[in-house]
Amino acid sequence: YYLASLLLPSESVLLSDGTTATARRLFLNAIELNPSIANFYSGLGSTLSPTEKIALPSGETVTQRRCFQKAVELDHTHAI
């Protein structure tokens, strides 16, 4: 999560296993590991354009707006 939050949406990082990952991929990995953390959804939402859709690890397809809504559902302080 922390590494993903440091990357710009267009950036990628080389991981210790030799693969590269974007912030989007890192947020998706974080959601897969723990889908109850609001910051993961708001972070993922910040990598999407308003009209873009993406599949979560659960198979649910979401938009930027839905990511932000999910973050608020999990932690009401994200509504501020």
Side-chain angles (χ1 to χ4, degrees):
Y1 161 76
Y2 294 109
L3 178 58
S5 64
L6 295 174
L7 294 175
L8 295 173
S10 61
E11 290 183 311
S12 62
V13 63
L14 181 63
L15 302 176
S16 60
D17 65 2
T19 61
T20 59
T22 61
R24 184 177 295 182
R25 171 56 38 211
L26 293 172
F27 283 122
L28 286 169
N29 289 350
I31 290 168
E32 185 173 23
L33 292 171
N34 191 344
S36 64
I37 305 293
N39 288 345
F40 299 166
Y41 293 93
S42 61
L44 179 61
S46 70
T47 71
L48 300 173
S49 70
T51 58
E52 196 171 3
K53 295 180 181 181
I54 192 167
L56 296 178
S58 66
E60 179 185 3
T61 299
V62 295
T63 61
Q64 180 189 59
R65 180 181 179 131
R66 180 64 189 127
C67 285
F68 293 142
Q69 288 173 334
K70 180 72 174 173
V72 172
E73 290 170 11
L74 293 169
D75 181 349
H76 71 278
T77 63
H78 282 262
I80 298 172

